[in-house]
């Protein structure tokens, strides 16, 4: 575990934190005027290893070889020239910082990036972080890589969870959730939306699915998995045979579907490494919490409430309201993932990346 301190005066700026993988939805903007929750779980941090934030360079100013050296294999509108290594944490895990109110960024309702760090070290005044909490953005604090450094916490070791530990914890992400308009409390009649985490996870995994398809039709197993992927796959890939099969696989699952061409597997939330089967196959990683709810779609049975009930009255958990909207993957996450896969240089994938609507 680590604490982050100010590079100028050494003051502690965070609570002790353990590292996890950067979420697929870290840079996501979801809907319009919606109130998204906190991005990072309390007590954790993640690192954005790529340059992030201003200044920006337009694609026309960048040589293709230079872009490829940065892991970008298809044209983009612009590339960040900011410093790599930004660290994202939950706002509640900050310590010893104050806001710089005039640096609101390009925000309409709260704080956003764009004007440089908007949080300063309370001890010496050095700008050290950017608070983001504008509408339709995940609430987070991004520590500026040149203004902070991390120190290990003596005697504290978060440890690496095994796949068995993760399954036992059962921390799945529900596919839908109620999201209130920005600045308003949740009300019972608020709309239920597809989970922003699922939308982002689908965009990320779909890019890998297309590469694994090798340009052939792909059939995804029925249920929520098909809801996430089949519509897009049928749109982009040719119909007819041969058809490649994509199925869920992972820890604790029986060894079946040995003839499947593509396996949808979980990625470890702390390391980001995909679960690997014994037999070789094309792997498509999914965030563990999303994968878990695909494998075990039914929620846990709620614990009965205590206290007597009138005779003949049964207390039950109401069913989750249905989301009637068509499931739409996050196109920004999809394209951001696809252009970072070398296979995007093949003509048919390049066309999808450039003509995505």
């Amino acid at each position: 575990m680590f604490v982050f301190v100010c590079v100028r005066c050494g003051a502690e700026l965070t609570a002790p934190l353990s590292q996890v993988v950067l979420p697929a939805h870290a840079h996501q903007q979801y809907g319009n005027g919606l109130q998204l929750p906190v991005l990072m779980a309390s007590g954790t941090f993640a690192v954005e290893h790529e340059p992030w934030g201003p200044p920006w360079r337009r694609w026309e100013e960048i040589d293709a070889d230079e872009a490829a050296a940065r892991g970008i294999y298809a044209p983009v509108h612009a590339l960040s020239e900011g410093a790599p290594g930004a660290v994202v944490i939950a706002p509640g895990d900050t310590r010893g910082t104050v806001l710089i109110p005039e640096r609101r960024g390009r925000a309409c309702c709260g704080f956003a990036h764009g004007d440089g760090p908007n949080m300063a070290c309370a001890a010496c005044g050095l700008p050290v972080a950017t608070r983001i909490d504008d509408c339709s953005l995940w609430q987070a604090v991004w520590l500026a890589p040149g203004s902070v450094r991390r120190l290990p916490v003596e005697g504290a070791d978060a440890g690496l969870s095994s796949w068995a530990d993760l399954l036992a914890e059962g921390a799945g992400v529900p596919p839908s959730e109620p999201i209130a308009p920005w600045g308003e409390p949740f009300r019972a009649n608020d709309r239920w939306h597809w989970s922003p985490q699922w939308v982002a996870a689908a965009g990320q995994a779909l890019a890998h699915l297309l590469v694994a398809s090798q340009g052939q039709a792909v059939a995804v197993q029925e249920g929520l998995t098909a809801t996430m992927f089949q519509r897009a796959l049928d749109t982009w890939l040719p119909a007819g045979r041969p058809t490649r099969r994509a199925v869920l696989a992972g820890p604790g699952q029986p060894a079946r579907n040995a003839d499947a061409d593509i396996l949808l597997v979980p990625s470890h939330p702390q390391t980001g490494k995909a679960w690997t089967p014994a037999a070789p196959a094309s792997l498509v990683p999914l965030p563990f919490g999303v994968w878990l709810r695909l494998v075990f779609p039914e929620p846990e049975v709620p614990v009965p409430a205590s206290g007597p009930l009138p005779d003949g009255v049964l207390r039950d958990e109401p069913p989750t309201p249905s989301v009637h909207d068509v499931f739409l993957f996050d196109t920004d996450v999809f394209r951001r993932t696809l252009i970072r896969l070398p296979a995007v240089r093949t003509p048919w994938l390049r066309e999808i990346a450039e003509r995505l609507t």
Side-chain angles (χ1 to χ4, degrees):
M1 301 190 75
F2 302 89
V3 294
F4 290 84
V5 301
C6 174
V7 296
R8 177 187 288 175
C9 69
E12 291 191 1
L13 303 176
T14 72
L17 306 171
S18 60
Q19 187 168 1
V20 297
V21 69
L22 186 72
H25 52 285
H27 301 301
Q28 181 187 42
Q29 180 171 344
Y30 185 83
N32 181 27
L34 300 180
Q35 182 174 295
L36 296 188
V38 174
L39 173 67
M40 302 298 296
S42 179
T44 67
F45 75 94
V47 179
E48 173 56 274
H49 295 288
E50 294 190 18
W52 182 76
W56 300 88
R57 286 174 63 197
R58 295 179 62 85
W59 181 257
E60 293 78 9
E61 305 170 0
I62 302 169
D63 182 79
D65 292 336
E66 179 188 352
R70 293 181 52 173
I72 309 296
Y73 302 103
V76 294
H77 176 68
L79 282 179
S80 170
E81 290 294 304
V87 172
V88 62
I89 66 175
D93 284 333
T94 57
R95 302 288 186 270
T97 58
V98 293
L99 282 170
I100 307 173
E102 61 271 19
R103 293 187 176 182
R104 293 185 56 240
R106 298 184 180 93
C108 63
C109 302
F111 282 88
H113 62 81
D115 291 338
N118 57 29
M119 298 180 71
C121 172
C124 69
L126 178 69
V128 293
T130 299
R131 169 70 188 260
I132 294 180
D133 60 8
D134 199 16
C135 58
S136 293
L137 299 177
W138 289 86
Q139 299 178 47
V141 168
W142 291 84
L143 303 176
S147 301
V148 302
R149 58 190 177 97
R150 66 183 185 184
L151 300 176
V153 178
E154 294 185 6
D157 185 5
L160 188 64
S161 299
S162 66
W163 290 113
D165 294 335
L166 294 172
L167 288 173
E169 292 171 7
V173 177
S176 61
E177 59 184 275
I179 303 178
W182 196 91
E184 297 184 16
F186 170 71
R187 300 176 298 246
N189 63 347
D190 276 334
R191 283 195 61 207
W192 281 67
H193 298 252
W194 289 111
S195 165
Q197 296 187 53
W198 277 63
V199 169
Q204 185 182 66
L206 184 57
H208 291 277
L209 258 175
L210 286 176
V211 173
S213 74
Q214 300 178 5
Q216 300 176 8
V218 172
V220 180
Q221 67 187 72
E222 296 180 355
L224 277 173
T225 313
T227 299
M228 293 176 73
F229 301 116
Q230 196 65 66
R231 182 168 174 262
L233 292 172
D234 291 345
T235 300
W236 281 326
L237 297 175
R241 298 188 178 278
T243 301
R244 299 174 66 82
R245 293 178 58 243
V247 300
L248 292 164
Q253 297 302 294
R256 58 187 178 216
N257 297 310
D259 59 338
D261 307 283
I262 304 168
L263 300 181
L264 301 163
V265 300
S267 57
H268 198 284
Q270 292 170 294
T271 67
K273 293 182 178 179
W275 177 85
T276 305
S282 296
L283 303 182
V284 172
L286 283 166
F288 180 81
V290 173
W291 174 88
L292 189 65
R293 288 303 294 264
L294 285 170
V295 174
F296 304 106
E298 295 298 326
E300 296 181 3
V301 177
V303 177
S306 60
L309 290 172
D311 292 339
V313 174
L314 298 176
R315 177 174 291 165
D316 196 6
E317 189 77 6
T320 300
S322 299
V323 179
H324 300 292
D325 296 337
V326 173
F327 185 95
L328 298 176
F329 64 91
D330 190 307
T331 54
D332 289 337
V333 175
F334 167 77
R335 193 169 191 278
R336 191 160 55 240
T337 304
L338 185 60
I339 65 173
R340 286 163 173 79
L341 300 176
V344 75
R345 290 178 289 196
T346 58
W348 69 277
L349 281 173
R350 180 71 170 262
E351 183 178 3
I352 289 175
E354 294 181 353
R355 301 183 63 184
L356 180 65
T357 59

